[in-house]
Amino acid sequence: ETGVTQTPRHLVMGMTNKKSLKCEQHLGHNAMYWYKQSAKKPLELMFVYSLEERVENNSVPSRFSPECPNSSHLFLHLHTLQPEDSALYLCASSQDLGHSYEQYFGPGTRLTVT
Amino acid sequence: KNQVEQSPQSLIILEGKNCTLQCNYTVSPFSNLRWYKQDTGRGPVSLTIMTFSENTKSNGRYTATLDADTKQSSLHITASQLSDSASYICVVRDSSGTYKYIFGTGTRLKVLA
């Protein structure tokens, strides 16, 4: 494992539910990311946080709400999702935002919206 | 438009054989190019990273090449093993100051015994 953990690993939710995805990094990194990976599509960057401050929001619908209470934890709060939101949600971290820093990914949460 | 295209989409080879995966990109301005390996049900794991001035980098049986003039990269896998079965993703970072990593859709490799 890469030092980035995600829970739950699998989640099935109805369109009216509210749930949260959790990510924790044990690497002492300052930057954290949320990505969406849909079948046969490239990874899509959703949000970027640096030192608990959101620095990027890639036109993500408001039904996805991120939260970064400290530099080790990142949450993605979900509400009133659509079936097309079913995907693998990946969290990543890096030492900092600079171009040369490596991103370390968690194992992902497989989300199914029914 | 910044894009990363990979070929082939999928590949099946026999254990012990070599293979080469391709990545073409149109990202500009260019910062670096990375190859990731993603096992089924797992997050991507970095194999190599190359900047503009580097044209070859190796990581064990994996060797990546970069031609910044033609904007092409390849990942060569030598003496393949069953554990090489995975998706291989090419990722290009631009240097425009944004946090843009442009991902390819990946090549799905299956190694058969």
Side-chain angles (χ1 to χ4, degrees):
Chain A
E1 293 297 328
T2 60
V4 180
T5 58
Q6 291 187 242
T7 55
R9 294 293 308 275
H10 301 272
L11 178 63
V12 179
M13 60 185 288
M15 289 190 284
T16 58
N17 291 158
K18 289 185 180 181
K19 296 286 184 184
S20 295
L21 310 184
K22 179 183 176 182
C23 174
E24 183 174 2
Q25 57 97 358
H26 313 273
L27 302 169
H29 289 170
N30 293 325
M32 297 187 77
Y33 312 76
W34 277 118
Y35 286 91
K36 176 184 179 182
Q37 187 176 31
S38 303
K40 299 186 179 180
K41 287 187 177 181
L43 267 75
E44 302 170 45
L45 180 65
M46 300 175 72
F47 301 104
V48 181
Y49 276 83
S50 175
L51 295 171
E52 303 123 60
E53 180 180 345
R54 191 190 309 178
V55 297
E56 180 86 354
N57 177 346
N58 249 9
S59 302
V60 178
S62 60
R63 57 186 184 270
F64 295 92
S65 175
E67 178 190 2
C68 188
N70 55 63
S71 59
S72 299
H73 293 86
L74 186 64
F75 294 89
L76 188 63
H77 303 299
L78 317 171
H79 65 97
T80 59
L81 294 191
Q82 304 298 312
E84 60 265 29
D85 296 323
S86 298
L88 182 67
Y89 288 85
L90 291 162
C91 174
S93 71
S94 61
Q95 182 62 54
D96 213 323
L97 292 175
H99 293 173
S100 62
Y101 291 109
E102 188 62 68
Q103 283 192 326
Y104 294 84
F105 286 85
T109 294
R110 172 68 62 185
L111 174 67
T112 303
V113 181
T114 60
Chain B
K1 180 181 177 182
N2 286 335
Q3 283 188 315
V4 174
E5 295 185 355
Q6 293 186 243
S7 62
Q9 287 190 357
S10 61
L11 181 62
I12 300 174
I13 61 173
L14 294 176
E15 187 178 15
K17 299 295 185 182
N18 304 335
C19 67
T20 300
L21 314 180
Q22 299 290 343
C23 173
N24 297 338
Y25 62 92
T26 59
V27 178
S28 181
F30 175 87
S31 176
N32 57 61
L33 183 146
R34 305 157 192 258
W35 282 95
Y36 284 89
K37 177 186 179 187
Q38 185 175 20
D39 293 311
T40 301
R42 301 278 187 115
V45 175
S46 178
L47 295 175
T48 63
I49 174 173
M50 288 185 292
T51 59
F52 185 88
S53 58
E54 298 173 296
N55 52 29
T56 301
K57 185 163 280 190
S58 292
N59 178 358
R61 294 179 297 102
Y62 301 102
T63 299
T65 65
L66 174 65
D67 185 333
D69 291 331
T70 62
K71 298 187 177 182
Q72 295 179 326
S73 176
S74 66
L75 181 69
H76 186 74
I77 304 175
T78 304
S80 60
Q81 300 176 357
L82 297 179
S83 59
D84 293 330
S85 296
S87 287
Y88 291 84
I89 303 172
C90 176
V91 186
V92 180
R93 176 89 186 256
D94 73 36
S95 61
S96 63
T98 66
Y99 312 104
K100 281 293 186 184
Y101 294 85
I102 297 93
F103 288 76
T105 53
T107 292
R108 185 176 296 276
L109 174 66
K110 179 75 172 176
V111 180
L112 300 178

